[in-house]
Amino acid sequence: MKHFLVVLFAWFPIFILAQTQQTRPNILVIMLDDAGLDMSVYGSSYVKTPAFDKIAREGILFTKAYTPNAKCAPSRASILTGRNSWQLDAVANHYIYFPSKFKTFPEVLKENGYVTGHTGKGWSPGIALTATGEVRDLVGKSFDAKKTKSPTTEISVNDYSANFKDFLNQVPKGNPWNFWIGINEPHRGYEYQSGVKKGGKRLDMIKEVPKYFPDSTSVRHDLLDYAMELEYADSHVTRVLNELKATNQLENTLIIYTSDHGMPFPRVKGNQYENSNHIPMAIMWKGKILKPNRSADDYISFVDIAPTLLEVAGIDWKRSGMYPSPGKSLLNIFETNKSGTIDSDRNFVLVGQERHDPGRPNDQGYPVRGIHKDNMLLLHNYESDRWPACNPETGYLNVDKSPTKSLLINLRRSGVDKKFWQLSFGKRLDLEFYDIKKDPYCLNNLAYNSDYKKQLDELENFMNQKLMAQDDLRMQGYGYLYEQFPFTQYRNYYENYMNSKIGTLNWADPNDYEPTYIDNNGENLETVIRKKNTLQND
């Protein structure tokens, strides 16, 4: 009998561990690259996204989800660490070295028994190393072997769904897993007019062109090309869902489907306006979300995701080794049957940026802090004498090349219309204040309207208090330190370009580099003269 009890108790912890492993949910994060709030479930007239819509219908659709920073690397860092970009030292910026002291939720999940992996784009662009110099897998081991035929000359050949299947095949039975599907679409470039020629789109499908763009044929084609890439990405998610169902894993998998920031167009990506930071988000967790097919109108930030995932995995944040997070787990939203505004404490989100792409003297950034609250957006531009999209003579490098970008530039050059150029590339005022309900395109700046002074002052004080509580260096008078973190690539690009030591960069059209300096009103000044150098390569 004693021998039996010894064997029983020796086996008991293993049994408990096995039970815990099997009941902890799998976690799947599907991250699009540069997709705005253009899924069909949000009302788009020219994009159809059945997989996203299915996840929303069988889970929760979030209507006010935001990234803290509308640029790839800092945005992805926030979702991975649960911290705003200004709380992450170098990771406030783009093209940087990821500090070794900040752990990510996939790393913590792996330490706690999860099998982790990813396909496509994880955290990028930048370099992530351990304190001793080894390469870090911030989102898990890479699964990118399977390729497929691309429908255009620009869409990635990564077979995301097949690579996800490869990952599932190597997960031990009953072991919980975490996988990150980093779909490269709809990041630029696009095959021009592919939306119409290959995607079955028509120009008249677009009911309204964003009002910061002219309503032209080239802009409409650009939007439809974006739509085709977004639909292609969504088709892979359909296959992913089918694979989960075929392997009987759909019921125990928490799925988050979102994007790192808004679409790759002027005045959107790389800015902090409504359409820059407002992201699509749908979450499905069958049997665990109390009432599916509902929407949540609470303000949600990417910093809420890591606390959510550690909680559902049964991991104590304080013991995880992750730095403190200002985020709040979404479990209370999962565990109610309410729709609309669910948690009254989720009544604001913070946004901001430091340095994104190169293209200003001395590798300067364009620091901004902002807050969304009560359908109002306040932005403080701390260095408004700088060019927000990088300098004109280096091609406005914080905006990807596109037919739309070139059109706006050429409308100014030709003297036809400076308005659209000014909205996307011109210098800005110190303060911007927008009523998002009345003005979702952020065109009517109320910051200097005396009727809004009291509301603006109260909101700015509230924002500053929150930022101070998060140890934001810019609030403490040390904002310049963010610019001291070096680029991993293109260091001193502005000076090297002006000295003809380097040429134009591949994400900018050479014709977008302005041949003259430009004043604050968009008027041409003297000709740009670069120093001659035999190493010139453009």
Side-chain angles (χ1 to χ4, degrees), residues 339-366:
S339 295
T341 301
I342 296 168
D343 183 347
S344 60
D345 290 336
R346 300 181 190 270
N347 57 5
F348 73 96
V349 290
L350 297 170
V351 298
Q353 68 181 71
E354 285 294 332
R355 187 184 65 209
H356 285 169
D357 287 319
R360 297 187 191 89
N362 304 311
D363 285 343
Q364 293 173 331
Y366 191 79

Side-chain angles (χ1 to χ4, degrees), residues 320-348:
S320 69
M322 295 185 75
Y323 271 65
S325 170
K328 183 179 179 182
S329 170
L330 300 175
L331 252 67
N332 67 327
I333 293 179
F334 297 170
E335 294 171 350
T336 181
N337 59 9
K338 294 181 180 178
S339 295
T341 301
I342 296 168
D343 183 347
S344 60
D345 290 336
R346 300 181 190 270
N347 57 5
F348 73 96

